[in-house]
Amino acid sequence: MVIEIDNLALHCEVFGEGEPVLFIHGFPLSGEMWRGAAEALSDRWRCLVPDLRGHGRSAASAAASMARYADDLAAMLDKLREWRPVVVVGLSMGGYIAFEFYRRHRARVRAMVLCDTRAEADAPDGAAKREAMAQEVLKNGSRAAADVMVDKLFAPGVSPQLRQHWHDAMSRNPPVGVAAAARALATRPDSTSTLTTIDCPTLFVVGREDTLTPPAPMEAMARAIRGARLEIIEGAGHMPPVEQPGEFNRILRGFLESL
Ligand code: MLT
C-alpha cells in the first residue's frame, strides 16, 4: 500500500496478522529482500515491509538521514494505526536505522533483530568513498552502485541468477534516492554507546561469509548487550534472508516465539 509521509508516497507491504514485526532493508536495496521472510512468518505475525524513501517503489527524495528514515517508519506505523511495540528487524543499513529508531522511538520497540550490521560510523576514507559513489550515481545512474555492491553482498557460492536478480533490482532504484542514502550512510552517527543502553530482547544474525560486516565484530556487539546472542548462518554472506532463507526464517521464528 502507499502511505503519504512528508509529502512523499512511500510504499509498505503488509503480510498477515498478529504481533507486529517491522523489517528494514539494507543499501541500496528495497523491501523485496524481506518478502520471503515476511511471507513465511505471516501465519502468526503482522509483518510490515516498507521501501525506505528513495528505494523500491517509494518516492525519491534528496533529503535522507538515518533519523529521517527512522521517523518515516514511526509515521508509517501511525498511519497503519499500529500502536503496539514492534519487533524491529534491520539488515546492514537497516540495522543502523534500527539503532536510530531505538534512540528516537524507544517506546515503540518490543525487541530487535540486528542482521549483518555494525555500530560504528564510517571512517573518513569510507565516508569519502560514499560521496564519490553518490556523485557517480547521480551522473551515471544507480547501476554504478549496483556494480560495486553486488560483489560485496553475497557468499562466493551464490547462484549467478540470484546475483543477477539483485543487481537488476539495485539498478532500478531511483538515483536521487541511492545518492541520498550513500550520503546518509557517510554521515550516520556512531551507535556504539547505544549498545549498552539496549534493554529489550535482542538477537544478532550474520552470514559466516559476510565480509562487509563479519561475524567477529558482531559477536562483540552481542556481548555488549545483556542477554543478547548471535546466530551465525553457514553458507551466507551479507544477505542471509535471501541466500539461506530456510535457516534465516527458522532462526527468526524461534526468536519471535521466545518473546
Ligand atoms: C547495506 O547492506 O546496507 C550496506 O552494506 C551498508 C553499508 O555499506 O555500510
Side-chain angles (χ1 to χ4, degrees):
M1 69 175 70
V2 173
I3 303 174
E4 177 96 4
I5 289 160
D6 196 18
N7 293 320
L8 294 169
L10 302 188
H11 202 273
C12 182
E13 282 194 282
V14 182
F15 301 84
E17 282 174 27
E19 297 287 314
V21 184
L22 174 65
F23 290 87
I24 316 176
H25 65 76
F27 168 85
L29 295 149
S30 73
E32 191 197 337
M33 62 161 288
W34 290 120
R35 191 170 296 142
E39 278 173 358
L41 295 165
S42 64
D43 60 332
R44 207 173 139 185
W45 290 275
R46 185 186 195 203
C47 299
L48 311 172
V49 186
D51 288 341
L52 297 167
R53 58 169 66 203
H55 297 78
R57 285 172 281 178
S58 286
S61 163
S65 64
M66 297 305 125
R68 234 179 238 264
Y69 292 133
D71 288 353
D72 284 347
L73 296 175
M76 221 178 239
L77 293 177
D78 289 344
K79 294 262 171 107
L80 291 165
R81 307 186 63 75
E82 184 50 82
W83 315 117
R84 298 168 294 179
V86 297
V87 180
V88 178
V89 183
L91 184 138
S92 199
M93 179 174 78
Y96 313 155
I97 298 167
F99 286 130
E100 194 69 61
F101 190 87
Y102 183 87
R103 288 192 287 270
R104 299 168 81 82
H105 306 286
R106 170 67 189 93
R108 301 195 90 144
V109 181
R110 162 94 178 83
M112 296 216 283
V113 182
L114 298 165
C115 312
D116 304 82
T117 194
R118 65 166 75 79
E120 294 79 21
D122 276 4
D125 60 327
K129 282 189 194 144
R130 306 257 201 213
E131 177 54 31
M133 180 187 276
Q135 290 181 23
E136 170 91 2
V137 163
L138 289 173
K139 203 164 141 216
N140 296 321
S142 296
R143 199 193 158 121
D147 288 346
V148 173
M149 292 306 294
V150 78
D151 287 331
K152 302 184 175 175
L153 292 183
F154 302 108
V158 78
S159 75
Q161 291 82 355
L162 197 81
R163 264 177 73 95
Q164 190 61 48
H165 175 85
W166 288 102
H167 185 271
D168 292 348
M170 290 189 283
S171 301
R172 279 195 301 272
N173 274 330
V176 167
V178 172
R183 287 173 171 151
L185 287 167
T187 54
R188 75 183 186 278
D190 190 299
S191 294
T192 310
S193 62
T194 302
L195 291 174
T196 50
T197 71
I198 294 176
D199 59 2
C200 62
T202 302
L203 172 69
F204 289 86
V205 182
V206 68
R208 170 78 71 196
E209 297 173 64
D210 186 344
T211 51
L212 268 178
T213 51
M218 291 212 54
E219 215 153 7
M221 277 201 284
R223 274 200 303 274
I225 300 177
R226 184 191 295 267
R229 66 192 170 82
L230 170 71
E231 292 276 2
I232 301 178
I233 299 190
E234 303 298 331
H238 192 59
M239 294 276 275
V242 300
E243 292 176 273
Q244 297 294 340
E247 183 61 359
F248 182 85
N249 296 344
R250 188 189 66 75
I251 289 167
L252 183 53
R253 178 178 291 274
F255 178 72
L256 295 175
E257 281 172 349
S258 76
L259 295 174

